[in-house]
Amino acid sequence: MKLSVIVGVYNPPLEKFTQCLETIINQTYSNLEIILLDDGSSNGAEKMCDEYQKRDERIRVIHQENYGTHAKFHIGYTLATGDYITNADHDDYLELDCYERLMEIANEREVDVVDSGYYHHDWRTKKVSQKFVDAYFEIEGQKEIVISATNGKISTETWCKVFKKDLAKQDEQWILADPLTFIGAQTFVHIPYAGYHFVNVEGSISSGRLSSWHIEQLERQTKKESIAATLEVFPYLLDYMNSNRIAWLERCYYYLTRTTKPISEEEKIFIAQLEKHLEYKKEASEILPFGLKFRYFAVTHRLVYLPYKFVSWYRNRRKS
């Protein structure tokens, strides 16, 4: 069966992007379709995409500006023609047998999702660790699969999984029905293997200053239409969604504390948007269980991440 690999591309470090592509095209599992979504790159990555397309007939390149961070879901999954789908970040890389290990189960069992662990490269500690590699297990039933993701039994990341194309959510289905990127999965197999290298680098979305991506994620958690549509599909996720909303508010506030001067005009817009979400609303608190009430009160009254605020103040003081 064919596996479609979607790679979102936007001005990645060229050396890392080369490593990413080389470890994809040289996979021991060769029945691949590789879709490169170039989001208006201007550092030479756009030319690399075209060069690789000439070298390998399995590669398809789409150039377009303003795809956004979720292009691989909104656009890539629509374009994919494989039986199964996965994705890769443009600055990560893979063990060469990664897709073979995952697709071996997919071909033999035809389960909806095959999952694995991954390597985490942390730029802060300079350490590499393996995640979710403890044991083999199987899960049956949509609710059981989703609950396993919400309670941390399985990773919510998509790049360490392959799943059936017809399960990929499209358009507005990609709402809060996260923690998984598919809807309706009934069979799930996890293998105790790490083949994907997630390279967390300084300055990336997951480690840098407050960005439009953070605000986008937060606003997705508070959109009433998205909440209603998600609960229609996953009615048992109300507590998880409330917790996730508070977690994103805390996360955005954390990145705000790390956004030191000078602040760009774009960042001023993000900060203004976040400030609206940080306004305490009694009616929003009333529907929360006690633990979440406390967290909501703490973050809206700026009582969390005080050490980070001090560090930011100290840095600004030294620069001024």
Side-chain angles (χ1 to χ4, degrees), residues 40 98 115 153 171 239 258 263 298 300-301 320:
C98 180
D115 177 51
K153 182 178 181 179
D171 302 322
D239 288 344
R258 299 190 62 188
I263 298 174
T300 53
H301 287 77
S320 61

Side-chain angles (χ1 to χ4, degrees), residues 50 90 93 175 228 261:
D50 293 335
H90 60 201
Y93 65 97
I175 38 177
K261 294 180 180 179

Side-chain angles (χ1 to χ4, degrees), residues 5 54 57 94 98 121 154 160 171-172 185 203 214 249 257 269 308:
V5 183
K54 293 176 183 177
E57 61 182 10
L94 296 81
C98 180
H121 297 244
I154 61 178
C160 56
D171 302 322
E172 288 305 308
H214 297 116
L249 190 59
T257 64
I269 296 175
Y308 296 111

Side-chain angles (χ1 to χ4, degrees), residues 136-277:
Y136 173 95
F137 57 84
E138 300 182 12
I139 308 173
E140 290 191 8
Q142 180 193 73
K143 181 176 180 178
E144 289 72 17
I145 293 171
V146 175
I147 292 298
S148 293
T150 63
N151 65 21
K153 182 178 181 179
I154 61 178
S155 166
T156 60
E157 305 296 350
T158 54
W159 23 251
C160 56
K161 299 174 175 62
V162 298
F163 54 92
K164 287 183 177 178
K165 153 72 175 176
D166 58 5
L167 293 174
K169 289 180 295 193
Q170 307 292 345
D171 302 322
E172 288 305 308
Q173 286 184 305
W174 176 252
I175 38 177
L176 301 181
D178 199 11
L180 301 178
T181 57
F182 42 84
I183 194 167
Q186 297 292 335
T187 53
F188 183 103
V189 171
H190 173 82
I191 59 175
Y193 160 80
Y196 188 95
H197 289 258
F198 168 55
V199 184
N200 179 219
V201 296
E202 184 174 10
S204 69
I205 283 176
S206 58
S207 62
R209 298 155 68 100
L210 185 67
S211 70
S212 61
W213 182 80
H214 297 116
I215 300 302
E216 176 189 339
Q217 298 308 303
L218 176 59
E219 294 191 338
R220 287 175 65 235
Q221 310 301 320
T222 58
K223 188 177 179 181
K224 292 182 179 179
E225 296 84 353
S226 295
I227 293 172
T230 300
L231 290 176
E232 184 176 351
V233 179
F234 299 113
Y236 46 85
L237 283 186
L238 178 60
D239 288 344
Y240 169 79
M241 289 168 57
N242 283 330
S243 177
N244 210 36
R245 177 170 62 86
I246 304 303
W248 269 105
L249 190 59
E250 292 169 338
R251 185 175 183 181
C252 287
Y253 181 59
Y254 161 69
Y255 282 108
L256 175 63
T257 64
R258 299 190 62 188
T259 303
T260 55
K261 294 180 180 179
I263 298 174
S264 68
E265 291 301 315
E266 187 178 33
E267 285 175 327
K268 290 179 181 178
I269 296 175
F270 305 153
I271 292 171
Q273 291 174 307
L274 177 57
E275 290 292 343
K276 292 182 180 179
H277 288 282

Side-chain angles (χ1 to χ4, degrees), residues 1-208:
M1 288 188 281
K2 182 165 66 175
L3 172 65
S4 294
V5 183
I6 292 91
V7 184
V9 182
Y10 179 69
N11 287 341
L14 298 185
E15 182 178 352
K16 290 185 176 297
F17 186 39
T18 299
Q19 182 181 32
C20 174
L21 291 180
E22 288 292 333
T23 58
I24 292 175
I25 65 176
N26 289 305
Q27 286 288 304
T28 54
Y29 191 84
S30 60
N31 191 8
L32 303 177
E33 171 187 53
I34 304 164
I35 301 175
L36 305 182
L37 299 176
D38 170 41
D39 192 10
S41 295
S42 57
N43 69 335
E46 70 284 6
K47 297 178 181 178
M48 282 183 57
C49 289
D50 293 335
E51 291 170 359
Y52 271 90
Q53 181 175 227
K54 293 176 183 177
R55 288 174 46 187
D56 195 319
E57 61 182 10
R58 299 172 300 173
I59 294 177
R60 297 167 59 192
V61 177
I62 313 296
H63 295 289
Q64 182 175 317
E65 293 186 6
N66 301 317
Y67 272 133
T69 54
H70 286 286
K72 58 180 174 286
F73 308 116
H74 291 303
I75 301 172
Y77 291 172
T78 303
L79 296 174
T81 62
D83 304 287
Y84 282 79
I85 299 176
T86 190
N87 64 277
D89 287 348
H90 60 201
D91 50 5
D92 294 340
Y93 65 97
L94 296 81
E95 296 293 312
L96 296 184
D97 66 344
C98 180
Y99 293 150
E100 181 178 15
R101 296 287 294 272
L102 292 166
M103 290 303 293
E104 180 180 14
I105 303 295
N107 281 302
E108 289 179 358
R109 304 276 301 279
E110 294 191 27
V111 293
D112 292 336
V113 186
V114 184
D115 177 51
S116 70
Y118 59 90
Y119 290 94
H120 179 223
H121 297 244
D122 193 330
W123 68 270
R124 301 172 185 84
T125 63
K126 309 301 181 185
K127 293 182 178 180
V128 180
S129 57
Q130 291 189 26
K131 308 289 187 181
F132 299 95
V133 294
D134 293 338
Y136 173 95
F137 57 84
E138 300 182 12
I139 308 173
E140 290 191 8
Q142 180 193 73
K143 181 176 180 178
E144 289 72 17
I145 293 171
V146 175
I147 292 298
S148 293
T150 63
N151 65 21
K153 182 178 181 179
I154 61 178
S155 166
T156 60
E157 305 296 350
T158 54
W159 23 251
C160 56
K161 299 174 175 62
V162 298
F163 54 92
K164 287 183 177 178
K165 153 72 175 176
D166 58 5
L167 293 174
K169 289 180 295 193
Q170 307 292 345
D171 302 322
E172 288 305 308
Q173 286 184 305
W174 176 252
I175 38 177
L176 301 181
D178 199 11
L180 301 178
T181 57
F182 42 84
I183 194 167
Q186 297 292 335
T187 53
F188 183 103
V189 171
H190 173 82
I191 59 175
Y193 160 80
Y196 188 95
H197 289 258
F198 168 55
V199 184
N200 179 219
V201 296
E202 184 174 10
S204 69
I205 283 176
S206 58
S207 62

